[in-house]
Amino acid sequence: MRIDADMLLKTAAEAKDRAYAPYSRFKVGAALLDAQGRVYPGCNVENAAYAPTNCAERTALFGAIASGASPKQFAAIALIGDTQEPLSPCGVCRQVMIELCPPDMPVIMGSAGGRWTKSTVAELLPDAFHPDVLKEEQP
Ligand code: THU
Protein backbone atom coordinates (compact mmCIF):
# COMPACT_ATOMS: atom_id res chain seq x y z
CA MET A 1 0.00 0.00 0.00
CA ARG A 2 1.23 3.49 -0.84
CA ILE A 3 1.64 5.56 2.28
CA ASP A 4 0.83 9.24 1.89
CA ALA A 5 2.94 10.80 4.67
CA ASP A 6 1.66 14.32 3.96
CA MET A 7 -1.98 13.21 4.24
CA LEU A 8 -1.33 11.35 7.50
CA LEU A 9 0.59 14.31 8.96
CA LYS A 10 -2.25 16.65 7.98
CA THR A 11 -4.81 14.41 9.72
CA ALA A 12 -2.51 14.20 12.75
CA ALA A 13 -2.15 18.00 12.82
CA GLU A 14 -5.95 18.39 12.77
CA ALA A 15 -6.26 15.90 15.64
CA LYS A 16 -3.58 17.84 17.54
CA ASP A 17 -5.90 20.85 17.62
CA ARG A 18 -8.42 18.69 19.51
CA ALA A 19 -5.89 17.66 22.20
CA TYR A 20 -6.96 18.11 25.82
CA ALA A 21 -3.68 19.21 27.40
CA PRO A 22 -4.47 21.84 30.05
CA TYR A 23 -1.58 20.70 32.30
CA SER A 24 1.40 20.34 29.97
CA ARG A 25 0.03 22.60 27.22
CA PHE A 26 1.91 20.23 24.92
CA LYS A 27 -0.53 19.20 22.22
CA VAL A 28 0.12 16.07 20.16
CA GLY A 29 -1.81 14.59 17.24
CA ALA A 30 -1.63 11.19 15.58
CA ALA A 31 -3.12 9.47 12.55
CA LEU A 32 -3.15 5.69 12.14
CA LEU A 33 -3.66 4.08 8.73
CA ASP A 34 -5.12 0.57 8.51
CA ALA A 35 -4.67 -2.02 5.78
CA GLN A 36 -8.04 -1.04 4.23
CA GLY A 37 -7.01 2.60 3.91
CA ARG A 38 -9.04 3.85 6.86
CA VAL A 39 -7.45 6.56 8.99
CA TYR A 40 -7.99 6.85 12.75
CA PRO A 41 -7.07 10.13 14.45
CA GLY A 42 -5.78 10.51 17.99
CA CYS A 43 -4.82 13.30 20.35
CA ASN A 44 -3.42 13.40 23.87
CA VAL A 45 -6.00 13.54 26.64
CA GLU A 46 -4.61 14.62 30.00
CA ASN A 47 -5.92 14.20 33.53
CA ALA A 48 -5.53 16.15 36.77
CA ALA A 49 -4.15 12.97 38.38
CA TYR A 50 -1.51 12.99 35.60
CA ALA A 51 -1.02 9.19 35.38
CA PRO A 52 -4.28 8.52 33.51
CA THR A 53 -3.09 10.78 30.66
CA ASN A 54 -3.30 9.11 27.26
CA CYS A 55 -0.88 9.97 24.47
CA ALA A 56 -2.07 10.79 20.96
CA GLU A 57 -0.66 7.57 19.49
CA ARG A 58 -2.40 5.34 22.03
CA THR A 59 -5.65 7.25 21.59
CA ALA A 60 -5.44 6.51 17.84
CA LEU A 61 -4.52 2.84 18.37
CA PHE A 62 -7.15 2.15 21.02
CA GLY A 63 -9.79 4.09 19.07
CA ALA A 64 -9.03 2.03 15.97
CA ILE A 65 -9.40 -1.25 17.86
CA ALA A 66 -12.63 0.01 19.44
CA SER A 67 -13.90 0.91 15.95
CA GLY A 68 -13.32 -2.65 14.71
CA ALA A 69 -9.82 -2.51 13.20
CA SER A 70 -7.80 -5.71 13.62
CA PRO A 71 -4.53 -5.78 15.57
CA LYS A 72 -1.49 -6.14 13.26
CA GLN A 73 -3.52 -4.86 10.30
CA PHE A 74 -2.08 -1.36 10.46
CA ALA A 75 0.04 0.17 7.70
CA ALA A 76 1.49 3.37 9.22
CA ILE A 77 1.19 5.88 12.03
CA ALA A 78 2.05 9.57 11.98
CA LEU A 79 2.47 11.83 14.98
CA ILE A 80 3.09 15.54 15.24
CA GLY A 81 3.66 18.19 17.89
CA ASP A 82 4.31 21.91 17.91
CA THR A 83 8.00 21.06 18.06
CA GLN A 84 11.08 22.27 16.24
CA GLU A 85 12.31 18.74 15.67
CA PRO A 86 10.26 15.72 14.53
CA LEU A 87 8.40 14.39 17.59
CA SER A 88 9.50 10.97 18.79
CA PRO A 89 6.93 8.66 20.47
CA CYS A 90 7.24 7.92 24.20
CA GLY A 91 8.31 4.50 25.48
CA VAL A 92 4.82 3.46 26.56
CA CYS A 93 3.43 4.13 23.08
CA ARG A 94 6.35 2.23 21.53
CA GLN A 95 5.44 -0.80 23.66
CA VAL A 96 1.79 -0.53 22.57
CA MET A 97 2.90 -0.32 18.92
CA ILE A 98 4.95 -3.53 19.42
CA GLU A 99 1.77 -5.21 20.65
CA LEU A 100 -0.65 -3.99 17.98
CA CYS A 101 1.38 -3.16 14.85
CA PRO A 102 3.64 -5.05 12.44
CA PRO A 103 7.31 -4.64 13.42
CA ASP A 104 8.25 -3.12 10.06
CA MET A 105 5.37 -0.62 10.12
CA PRO A 106 6.50 2.95 9.36
CA VAL A 107 6.28 5.55 12.11
CA ILE A 108 6.22 9.06 10.63
CA MET A 109 7.38 11.75 13.03
CA GLY A 110 6.40 15.33 12.22
CA SER A 111 7.28 18.79 13.49
CA ALA A 112 5.73 22.25 13.45
CA GLY A 113 8.16 23.42 10.77
CA GLY A 114 7.01 20.73 8.35
CA ARG A 115 10.16 18.61 8.60
CA TRP A 116 9.51 14.93 9.24
CA THR A 117 11.43 11.70 9.61
CA LYS A 118 10.51 8.05 9.40
CA SER A 119 11.42 4.96 11.40
CA THR A 120 9.74 1.63 12.12
CA VAL A 121 8.03 0.12 15.15
CA ALA A 122 10.86 -2.41 15.70
CA GLU A 123 13.63 0.14 15.20
CA LEU A 124 12.07 2.40 17.81
CA LEU A 125 12.03 -0.32 20.49
CA PRO A 126 14.98 -2.69 20.07
CA ASP A 127 15.00 -5.77 22.32
CA ALA A 128 11.38 -5.10 23.22
CA PHE A 129 9.48 -7.16 25.73
CA HIS A 130 7.42 -9.14 23.23
CA PRO A 131 3.96 -10.62 23.82
CA ASP A 132 5.15 -13.92 22.28
CA VAL A 133 7.22 -14.73 25.41
CA LEU A 134 3.97 -15.11 27.36
CA LYS A 135 3.13 -18.08 25.10
CA GLU A 136 6.26 -19.96 26.20
CA GLU A 137 5.71 -22.79 28.64
CA GLN A 138 6.45 -21.75 32.22
CA PRO A 139 8.15 -24.14 34.69
N1 THU B 1 2.56 12.94 24.52
C1 THU B 1 1.96 12.33 23.44
O1 THU B 1 0.74 12.47 23.25
N2 THU B 1 2.71 11.57 22.61
C2 THU B 1 4.07 11.41 22.73
O2 THU B 1 4.66 10.63 21.99
C3 THU B 1 4.81 12.18 23.73
C4 THU B 1 3.96 12.77 24.82
C5 THU B 1 1.76 13.78 25.40
C6 THU B 1 1.52 13.22 26.77
C7 THU B 1 1.25 14.48 27.57
O3 THU B 1 -0.12 14.83 27.45
C8 THU B 1 2.08 15.54 26.87
O4 THU B 1 2.39 15.02 25.59
C9 THU B 1 3.35 15.92 27.60
O5 THU B 1 4.11 14.79 27.89
Side-chain angles (χ1 to χ4, degrees):
M1 164 184 299
R2 206 185 83 78
I3 289 152
D4 185 345
D6 291 327
M7 180 278 288
L8 284 179
L9 285 165
K10 184 171 178 282
T11 302
E14 287 164 3
K16 172 169 64 63
D17 293 339
R18 298 192 291 272
Y20 175 71
Y23 306 107
S24 72
R25 308 227 165 257
F26 188 81
K27 292 185 166 196
V28 183
L32 176 67
L33 176 70
D34 78 4
Q36 281 76 45
R38 279 185 291 258
V39 178
Y40 305 89
C43 60
N44 52 333
V45 181
E46 297 188 343
N47 189 281
Y50 293 1
T53 291
N54 214 54
C55 287
E57 303 91 307
R58 276 177 290 141
T59 304
L61 284 155
F62 297 159
I65 298 291
S67 301
S70 303
K72 302 286 182 191
Q73 299 297 308
F74 297 114
I77 190 167
L79 64 142
I80 193 165
D82 293 323
T83 48
Q84 298 279 316
E85 298 298 319
L87 182 64
S88 194
C90 86
V92 172
C93 290
R94 292 176 195 213
Q95 184 70 43
V96 173
M97 289 180 206
I98 289 283
E99 181 83 25
L100 298 176
C101 305
D104 59 350
M105 189 186 91
V107 180
I108 298 158
M109 297 167 277
S111 65
R115 213 165 57 76
W116 57 270
T117 56
K118 205 161 76 169
S119 186
T120 68
V121 166
E123 278 168 5
L124 287 171
L125 196 60
D127 299 322
F129 176 76
H130 199 278
D132 285 352
V133 301
L134 298 179
K135 294 180 193 145
E136 288 171 18
E137 210 169 299
Q138 302 299 312

